[in-house]
Structures are given as C-alpha cells and as structure tokens.
Amino acid sequence: MRAKLISMFGAAALSVTCATAMAAETIRVTLQLPEKHSLGKNWNAFKEIIEEKSKGELNVQLFPSAQLFKDKEVPEAVGSGAVEAGSAFLGRFAGSVPAVEIVNLPFFFRDEAHLRAATANNSPMRKILDQAVLEETGARVLWWQAYGRNVYLNSGAPIKTPEDVVGKKVRTYGKVLGWTVKALGGAPTLMSGSKQLLAYQQGAVDVGMTGTSAVKSRKLYEVMENMTLSYDFAIEFVAVINNDFFEGLSEDNQKIILEAAAIVEKQLRDEVYAGEDAMVESISDKINVIRLSDEERAKWVEATASVQDRFVEATGQIGQKALDAAKAM
C-alpha cells in the first residue's frame, strides 16, 4: 500500500512539474553578434527583467553570433514563426518596408536631440514604421537598438568636404547610403561589416562608411588613417517578436514584455551615445579624428539634399508620412 501511495505521489509530482514546464513560454532569440556586444548585453537585460517579473512564466534563450539565422534571414524567420524573436539591422526590413531607411537619410536629423525624439518608443515616426513592419512581415517591433552614428574612414588627405569624396570608391551597406555616395560624386560599393578590415587593407575601396563602435571593435584604425565624425545618419538594429506568438501570451505577460522593451531601449541608446565620445577619445592616438565645422557641414547638407526627394519617390505614402512626422518633432 505504501509503495502504491509513493507511486501515486510521485506521479502527481511529475504531473505538476510537467504542467509548470508547459506553462512557461520559451522565447528563442536569434542574434547576429556575441552576447558580450552591446546588443547582446541589451537582450540579456531584457531577459532578466521579463523572467523576474513573469515569475518564470517567460523564459528567454539567446542564440548569439548567427547560430540560428543570418542577419538577412531574420525578418522572415521571425515573421513566419521559425523563431520567436531576434535582432537584425533595421535596413534588412527595407525589402518589405522601404521607409525604414529614413534613419539613413544624410543630415536629416538636426542633432542628437532630434534623433532621440524621432526614434523614441511610440514617437509619431516610430508608430508609422513599426506598424508597417508588423503588417508587412508579421514581426512586431519591440524596440530599436541604437548602434551609433555614421563616420567616414580613409587614408591620405582627410575627408572634410563633399569634394573629398568625388571619384572615390566608398563602402556602403544600404540603398540610401548608395544614393548618398552618388550625390557626393563617389562610387558606392556594397559590403558587409565583417569584410571591411581586409577591404581597407587591400585598397579595394578608398573610403569607408561605418559606425563609431565598429572602428574600435574591428580595429579599423589599423588600416585607415582618418576618421571623419560626420554623424550624418543613425545606424539602428531592431528587436522583433513573432506577432502570433506575442498575441498568444497572457495580457500580463504582454505588458511585462512591452515595459521591459521600453526600459532596455532607453538604456542602450543612452549608453551608446554617451559612449561615442569616450570611444573616439580612446582611439584618438591611433587615428586622426576630424570634426566638421559648421561651414563644412553645411556643404555636406547641400550636396546630399536630393537624397530626401529620392527617398520619398521610392517609399511613397508611408515614407512621406514618416518624413513629415519626424520633421515636425
């Protein structure tokens, strides 16, 4: 009899354990960069918040360094539900929503304050773009992940004005960036971030476009002499979750996720923008740092003004709405 009771209690305990395990929702996250990178740390901060606040009902599993999907595969993978969530370069969503490349418009954002306001959670511009991404891909935007602002790299005479780009081969990583280079009189060359070091070393391109953090993390200062702090556009990644999965969660857990997303979004943007100055200072003895004067910046603005018109023509009504919303801020 005692053995039977032990068996019954054991079965009951196993049943409770299985029910608890089944109750927990696992969110698998595909990442492109290592967990030690700022974007990986950002997801870990999100993980800690939602696992604690959901009391174990939500479980996050991170798969860094493109273990599951490559950057270009993330929009479809998350949208289709092949994986619950992930991060990708915002430009990867341009195939479905071309207007997301508004953040790459040269000198469109007047200053850091304007950029922060336009890209903030639930800003008028964000509402337009995030909704379009959801409708076109099935992926719900949780938050935008700041990566830094653009700089130009080169060797020889430093780049100070648009004339310094004329006739040069320039590394780019998006359609709008290609338009910008052409407006400056250069020849755009599409290239992934991982190929930069070798390309600069071998002289495959004359000029590099990249984010501030990449100059240090990829040691690009070893193969380029000058870094021009143009800060002409923002580089953004985006954290997304499959919408069907999200809507299948309880209202309480949905709220926990959205509140955590808002917290970690602000944390990362504050860290990245504050860290840009420190990063530049940390390598100023390894690379010549060029800061544009107001007069020089005005020449860049004038030379690239046509890119905005081209953007509106290519992105239609959504692009125009996003542009108007950002300008009004």
Side-chain angles (χ1 to χ4, degrees):
M1 181 68 175
R2 185 170 181 272
K4 185 177 180 180
L5 285 173
I6 291 174
S7 178
M8 288 173 62
F9 279 119
L14 179 61
S15 177
V16 170
T17 301
C18 290
T20 302
M22 289 177 65
E25 293 283 0
T26 298
I27 304 173
R28 295 169 302 155
V29 182
T30 178
L31 304 177
Q32 301 307 301
L33 296 158
E35 286 189 56
K36 65 181 180 180
H37 189 276
S38 60
L39 301 191
K41 292 177 180 177
N42 191 226
W43 268 102
N44 270 309
F46 173 79
K47 169 184 168 73
E48 290 178 10
I49 294 172
I50 70 167
E51 288 185 347
E52 178 183 348
K53 290 195 173 183
S54 71
K55 295 179 172 57
E57 289 185 14
L58 296 173
N59 175 48
V60 176
Q61 292 182 353
L62 302 179
F63 295 87
S65 304
Q67 291 179 39
L68 297 184
F69 298 97
K70 296 179 181 178
D71 189 60
K72 64 182 180 181
E73 299 169 334
V74 173
E76 183 177 352
V78 175
S80 68
V83 67
E84 287 75 35
S87 281
F89 173 53
L90 180 59
R92 291 300 186 189
F93 289 84
S96 301
V97 184
V100 298
E101 288 198 281
I102 188 173
V103 296
N104 297 144
L105 287 177
F107 304 97
F108 172 67
F109 298 104
R110 295 183 293 275
D111 49 32
E112 183 181 323
H114 184 205
L115 173 60
R116 281 176 171 271
T119 57
N121 186 36
N122 284 324
S123 75
M125 185 190 84
R126 277 279 303 275
K127 285 180 179 179
I128 293 168
L129 298 177
D130 290 358
Q131 182 61 32
V133 168
L134 173 59
E135 291 175 356
E136 294 298 326
T137 70
R140 172 185 288 268
V141 175
L142 292 179
W143 75 95
W144 284 23
Q145 295 181 295
Y147 191 81
R149 290 172 290 180
N150 181 64
V151 297
Y152 285 84
L153 302 175
N154 82 309
S155 292
I159 294 173
K160 294 183 177 181
T161 67
E163 287 76 16
D164 298 325
V165 180
V166 174
K168 304 289 178 61
K169 289 188 292 184
V170 183
R171 177 257 171 167
T172 64
Y173 47 96
K175 183 182 293 184
V176 170
L177 309 189
W179 296 345
T180 299
V181 170
K182 287 182 179 179
L184 293 169
T189 302
L190 197 63
M191 181 184 299
S192 66
S194 62
K195 294 181 179 179
Q196 286 184 90
L197 184 67
L198 187 59
Y200 300 154
Q201 190 175 46
Q202 296 180 341
V205 292
D206 306 303
V207 178
M209 270 185 170
T210 194
T212 48
S213 63
V215 179
K216 184 174 183 178
S217 64
R218 297 185 187 277
K219 297 184 178 181
L220 301 180
Y221 52 78
E222 293 183 350
V223 292
M224 287 298 208
E225 298 175 356
N226 308 306
M227 176 172 65
T228 301
L229 305 183
S230 56
Y231 291 163
D232 46 334
F233 62 85
I235 303 169
E236 299 283 327
F237 277 63
V238 62
V240 291
I241 190 168
N242 177 267
N243 192 55
D244 289 340
F245 174 83
F246 178 82
E247 292 189 343
L249 300 174
S250 68
E251 289 186 7
D252 286 343
N253 283 339
Q254 288 181 13
K255 183 179 179 183
I256 287 171
I257 286 174
L258 294 178
E259 289 179 348
I263 291 171
V264 299
E265 177 168 6
K266 186 177 185 304
Q267 285 176 345
L268 180 61
R269 194 166 299 278
D270 288 346
E271 290 170 6
V272 167
Y273 287 173
E276 280 185 326
D277 291 338
M279 188 285 299
V280 170
E281 181 62 28
S282 71
I283 61 171
S284 60
D285 60 334
K286 298 179 177 67
I287 192 167
N288 182 31
V289 178
I290 296 94
R291 293 175 172 82
L292 300 179
S293 67
D294 291 342
E295 292 77 14
E296 288 167 343
R297 180 169 292 272
K299 291 180 180 179
W300 286 82
V301 172
E302 182 180 0
T304 58
S306 63
V307 179
Q308 275 193 42
D309 296 331
R310 193 167 180 177
F311 171 80
V312 172
E313 183 180 348
T315 59
Q317 188 176 14
I318 293 178
Q320 184 67 66
K321 285 183 177 180
L323 201 75
D324 293 342
K327 281 184 175 179
M329 300 189 72

